[in-house]
Amino acid sequence: MSEGTERKRGGALGIAVWCAMVTAVLVGLPWATSSRLPERLATHWGAGDGGPDGSMPLWAAAFFPALAWVVLALLIVALGRWRGRATSDPETRGRSVPGLVSGGVLLVGAQASIVRVNLDHADWRQAGSVTLWAAVTLGAAVVAGLAEWAVARRGGL
């Protein structure tokens, strides 16, 4: 087996493990803390007063982000494979990985933020604001994506 083939298999395994871990966290986090969460979770906040204006039952708040992640990951991988076949330029290889890293960090951070502001409240309307947590999550996703892009560009992936 050539070094290139081994590298491709290792990269594919890494991508699969990352996608599975993100999915597990997205689904597992709300369920792991369900004893401290209200029956419905605040999942949407308006731009006005910062208070929640939308909710979902626990099962939907756990599975909807996971479904969004699976669709996003499949699209990123499919586009990456298509782009890799469309060009022989080695610079284009590995460019889908930063999208997977930043997308995973963004969704896990959003899920953690939603769970955090809903903790220990009897009703979803009592949940706090996610503005600060959303900004931190967005920043972390950008940094993670840029870091992974730099590694991939240097030939690390």
Side-chain angles (χ1 to χ4, degrees):
M1 189 180 306
S2 73
E3 182 180 329
T5 304
E6 287 180 25
R7 190 175 193 160
K8 280 183 185 179
R9 284 191 181 172
L13 178 62
I15 288 171
V17 168
W18 172 252
C19 290
M21 286 179 10
V22 170
T23 303
V25 171
L26 290 172
V27 173
L29 187 60
W31 292 108
T33 57
S34 63
S35 64
R36 296 179 54 196
L37 293 171
E39 211 172 287
R40 295 184 66 85
L41 274 67
T43 54
H44 188 270
W45 283 258
D49 64 0
D53 63 1
S55 68
M56 288 183 181
L58 178 70
W59 69 268
F63 287 106
F64 182 74
L67 177 62
W69 166 246
V70 168
V71 169
L72 176 68
L74 289 174
L75 283 172
I76 290 172
V77 169
L79 286 172
R81 293 192 77 186
W82 174 78
R83 191 176 351 144
R85 285 190 198 126
T87 181
S88 60
D89 181 14
E91 285 288 316
T92 62
R93 292 196 181 103
R95 288 204 182 158
S96 61
V97 175
L100 288 171
V101 170
S102 62
V105 169
L106 180 68
L107 285 171
V108 166
Q111 185 75 306
S113 299
I114 287 170
V115 168
R116 184 195 171 283
V117 300
N118 280 283
L119 280 175
D120 301 323
H121 292 295
D123 186 64
W124 67 270
R125 292 172 197 88
Q126 298 170 334
S129 173
V130 292
T131 304
L132 173 64
W133 299 105
V136 169
T137 295
L138 186 58
V142 168
V143 169
L146 289 173
E148 185 58 42
W149 175 76
V151 168
R153 188 175 166 112
R154 291 183 182 251
L157 288 176

